C-alpha cells in the first residue's frame, strides 16, 4: 500500500514537471518570446495611458483649486476652460519688427 502511494505521488510529480518543462520550452521559442514581448508592450501602453489620464485629472483639479483661490482672495472671476491669458495670447497675431533699411 505504501509503495502504491509513493508510485502515485511520483506519477503526479512527473506529469506536473513535464507540463511545466513543456511550457518553459514553448516560451523560449521565438513565437513564445514575441508573445511575451507583445503582452509586456500592451501592459506598458495601458499603464502609460492610465498615468496620463491621472495626470490630466490632477491638473484639472489643481487648476480648479487655484481658480477658486484667486476668486476667493481677489473677487475676480477669471474665465475658465482655456479662455484665460494663455489662450488670448495664442490668438493674437504675431507682430514682426520692421527691418532697418540702410
Amino acid at each position: 500500500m505504501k509503495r502504491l502511494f509513493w508510485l502515485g505521488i511520483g506519477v503526479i510529480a512527473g506529469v506536473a514537471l513535464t507540463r511545466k518543462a513543456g511550457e518553459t520550452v514553448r516560451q523560449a521559442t521565438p513565437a513564445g518570446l514575441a508573445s511575451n514581448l507583445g503582452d509586456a508592450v500592451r501592459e506598458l501602453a495601458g499603464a502609460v495611458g492610465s498615468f496620463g489620464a491621472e495626470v490630466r485629472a490632477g491638473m484639472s483639479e489643481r487648476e480648479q483649486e487655484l481658480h477658486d483661490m484667486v476668486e476667493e482672495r481677489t473677487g475676480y472671476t477669471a474665465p475658465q476652460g482655456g479662455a484665460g491669458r494663455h489662450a488670448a495670447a495664442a490668438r493674437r497675431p504675431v507682430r514682426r519688427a520692421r527691418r532697418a533699411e540702410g
Side-chain angles (χ1 to χ4, degrees), residues 23-91:
E23 180 64 23
T24 303
V25 168
R26 188 198 67 76
Q27 288 180 355
T29 63
L33 292 174
S35 173
N36 290 342
L37 182 62
D39 292 343
V41 168
R42 277 190 291 279
E43 185 177 334
L44 178 64
V48 168
S50 66
F51 174 74
E54 288 178 17
V55 167
R56 284 189 299 275
M59 285 179 8
S60 196
E61 182 180 327
R62 180 65 178 151
E63 183 179 4
Q64 184 61 43
E65 289 173 4
L66 292 172
H67 180 270
D68 293 343
M69 188 185 309
V70 167
E71 187 175 337
E72 178 184 312
R73 290 184 181 180
T74 64
Y76 174 70
T77 304
Q80 290 184 359
R85 179 180 65 151
H86 297 292
R91 288 189 299 256

